Amino acid sequence: MADEMPTWREYPMAAIILEPGSTAKYKTGDWRSRRPVLDSSKCLKSKCARCWIYCPDAARRVDEDGYFEVDLSHCKGCGICARECPPGAITMVEEGE
Amino acid sequence: MGKRIGLEASLAVSEAVKMARADAVAAYPITPQTHIVEELSQMVADGDLDADFMVVESEHTAMSACCGASAVGARTFTATGGPGLALMHEMLYIASGLRLPIVMAIVNRAYSSPISIWGDHSDVMAQRDAGWIQFFAETGQEVFDLTIQAFKIAEDKRVLLPAAVNLDGFTLSHVIEPFDMPDQEEIDAFLPAYEPQVILDPDKPVTMGAVGFPEIYTEIKKQQNEALLGAYEVILEVWEGFEKAFGRAYHPVESYRTDDAEILISIAGSTACTARVAVDNMRDQGKKVGLVRTRLWRPYPFEETRAAVKGAKAVAVMDRCLSFGGPGGPICSELRSALYPLPEKPVVNSYIVGLGGRDITLQDFYTVVEDAERVLSEGPPDEYQYKMIGVRE
Ligand code: SF4
Ligand code: SF4
C-alpha cells in the first residue's frame, strides 16, 4: 500500500488541495456509531431545513419529495440534526440495530 | 544614487518595508513593540505606503492575519519580539508549513520572569525550529539590507518560506546610525513584485492547511525541509546580486582578523561591534584572537562555519541565551555539532552573556579569552558545558 502512494516530490507544495470540493470523495460514514433516522411524517410542512443548515458534514440532501435525507456515506452520526430538529422528526439509532 | 542619512534602526526597518512596497502589515502593540510598526502605521495613514495595516488583538492573531494576507498573494510583513514572539509560536509553524513568504523583524528580547523587556536572544532561540529562514543583523544598515533581501529570498519560487530578521532589542533597535539609503528605483529593480504560485482565490478555489494524515505528513515535512535546505543557494545568489547592485557584501558567517588566530570569539548580533574593539585591543597585546559572527542562522551554514574556525585552537562562543540544563548556549551547541564529524577541531567553550539587557563589556571578551587560554593550557574547566559570565558570586 505505502509503495503505491506518492513520494514527497509528487505532492503539491504544502499539501495544498488544488481540486475544489474533493472532500466529497472522502467517505467518513464508517466513523459513525449511531445513524439519524427521519420520520418524514413529523417533518414540518415548511421543511425548515435546520438539519441541513446545522449538519457539519453537509451530509443532508433534498430528496424528490423535498425532505432532507441523509447521505450515509458522509454522515458521522454526530446527532446535531436530531438535536436541532424542532418537531423531533429525527432520532438517532445505534448502528447494527 | 541614494543618500546618506541618520536614522534609528527600527525606523530603517519600516523604511525597508515601505520601499519593498509591502501590501499588508499586521501588528499588535504588545509591550514591548517597537517603532517599526508604529512608523508603518503612520506611513499607511499618511498615504506613503499603500498597504493594509491590520490592527489585531494579539500576536497570535497578527501572525494568523499575516498567514491569510500572504495566502492571497500579498507581500506581508510584521514585527515583534520577546513575549509577542512567544505568543505567535503556533502560527510560526503554520506560516512555514503553508510555505508563506512572510517577512518578520524580531527585536530580540528576554523572556519573563522576572519581567524583562531588555535584549537577549531567548525569544528567537525558543523559535529556532519553526522552519523560518533566520538572520542576525549587527548594524542598522544590515537590518535594512536584510529586510529587503528577506523578501526576495522568501518569495523566490524555489524557496517560498517565511524569513525573520533578528535585531537586538535597544542596543540596535533604538540606536540611531548612519545609513546609505538607496533610491526607490534601485530597490524596485532589485526586488520586483511578488509572484505567488498558488493563492486563495474564490474564482479558482484551493484548500490550504487541510488535515495531513500520518500517511502524508512526513512527506510534506520532507518537502518543507528540502525547501529550507535549498534556500541556502538562493540566499547566496541573492547576496551576490545585492553586492553587485548596492556594493555591500553579505556572507553566512563574517570573519574578523581570523587569519592566524588561535582563539576565536563567536557571537551573533550587534555585540559584534564591541567584539571587534576587544579583538583589536587583544591583538595590540600580541594575543592571536579573531572574531566569527553568525549572520545566517537557518538554514545553518555548516561549511562556512567549519571553514571560519579552521586552524583555531579554541572557540569561545558567547550566547545571549541560556538553555537551562542543556549542553550549552544554542549557538555553541550547534557549532559543536557542526564540528563533531571533523577529525581536527578546536576546543569549543560555551559562555552565557548579556542576559536580559546586561551590558556586554570589553572585559567580558577578555574574560572569555583568558578562560579559553586556561582551558587550552590546563584542560577543560569544571563547568565544561557552559559558564555564565559576569555573575556576582
Ligand atoms: S448526524 Fe450529524 S453528520 Fe449525520 S446528518 Fe445529522 S448532523 Fe449531519
Ligand atoms: S430540521 Fe426537522 S423539521 Fe426541519 S427540515 Fe429537518 S427534519 Fe424537517
Side-chain angles (χ1 to χ4, degrees), chain A:
Chain A
M1 174 64 186
D3 293 344
E4 295 153 22
M5 292 191 65
T7 67
W8 67 269
R9 290 173 203 277
E10 290 162 345
Y11 284 105
M13 182 186 71
I16 292 171
I17 299 169
L18 301 165
E19 183 192 347
S22 62
T23 310
K25 290 187 195 161
Y26 191 68
K27 307 293 182 203
T28 49
D30 56 359
W31 298 13
R32 191 176 57 238
S33 64
R34 294 185 308 156
R35 72 177 182 281
V37 175
L38 171 68
D39 176 354
S40 50
S41 69
K42 287 193 189 162
C43 176
L44 294 176
K45 277 208 180 59
S46 66
K47 310 281 194 308
C48 75
R50 288 192 194 192
C51 52
W52 179 80
I53 292 165
Y54 282 103
C55 175
D57 284 292
R60 290 256 161 206
R61 300 266 178 277
V62 188
D63 71 10
E64 52 214 22
D65 300 319
Y67 293 106
F68 289 91
E69 62 171 5
V70 63
D71 164 12
L72 285 173
S73 59
H74 291 101
C75 166
K76 290 183 189 142
C78 66
I80 291 173
C81 53
R83 167 103 184 189
E84 295 297 333
C85 174
I90 301 167
T91 33
M92 300 301 293
V93 302
E94 291 296 326
E95 284 291 355
E97 274 179 21

